[in-house]
Amino acid sequence: MERTKMLLVAEDVLPTVFGRVVEAKRLLAVGRAKNLSEAAKLAGISRSALYKYKDHVFLYNENIDQSVVTISVYLEDRPGVLSALLDRFSRQGANILTVNQNIPADGVAPVSISARLESSGGVEELLERLGDVDGVVEVKLVSSR
């Protein structure tokens, strides 16, 4: 089977229907439209256009190009530690993508967190700030891109 070739094209050179398809899909995703028919109507396109293009037109997310890090943290097993850690991420301007916490063993819970940072230069500072949170036993950078 031949692989589909993808193109990244500026919206202003495309027919308006493509932007409206993206808008219809957004309306569905955020719950402002209950179904495809309503989304098409709200976006100002025909239902057939939405059905034709919905699986082939996507909005490029520039945020994906920002730095994404995965960090492994070991936390003391007591109330509020994970909450304080997540608050520290937020105060450092990080957008948390995933949080996976395992069951504590010997009073320590392993946690893996992936987050998008505003800039890749903030990784070292983030790690340092996370280590300062009361109840954090250990912080390790697993991956960064």
Side-chain angles (χ1 to χ4, degrees), residues 36-93:
L36 286 171
S37 295
E38 186 177 354
K41 184 176 180 179
L42 289 171
I45 56 175
S46 68
R47 234 175 20 139
S48 63
L50 181 55
Y51 276 99
K52 181 177 182 178
Y53 297 121
K54 70 179 178 61
D55 295 328
H56 305 285
V57 179
F58 306 95
L59 182 64
Y60 172 68
N61 185 351
E62 292 178 35
N63 291 332
I64 291 174
D65 289 341
Q66 293 176 332
S67 178
V68 175
V69 297
T70 300
I71 296 171
S72 173
V73 186
Y74 289 88
L75 306 177
E76 291 181 20
D77 180 24
R78 56 185 172 86
V81 177
L82 179 59
S83 177
L85 182 75
L86 297 177
D87 181 61
R88 185 60 53 99
F89 270 94
S90 176
R91 286 192 278 145
Q92 292 299 121

Side-chain angles (χ1 to χ4, degrees), residues 11-26:
E11 182 179 15
D12 59 349
V13 300
L14 292 171
T16 58
V17 67
F18 295 117
R20 291 180 181 185
V21 167
V22 169
E23 175 62 12
K25 290 171 57 173
R26 186 192 69 78

Side-chain angles (χ1 to χ4, degrees), residues 63-70 97 114-117 120 123 141 143-145:
N63 291 332
I64 291 174
D65 289 341
Q66 293 176 332
S67 178
V68 175
V69 297
T70 300
L97 304 172
S114 294
R116 184 179 301 121
L117 305 182
S120 59
V123 176
L141 180 65
S143 69
S144 176
R145 65 173 179 125

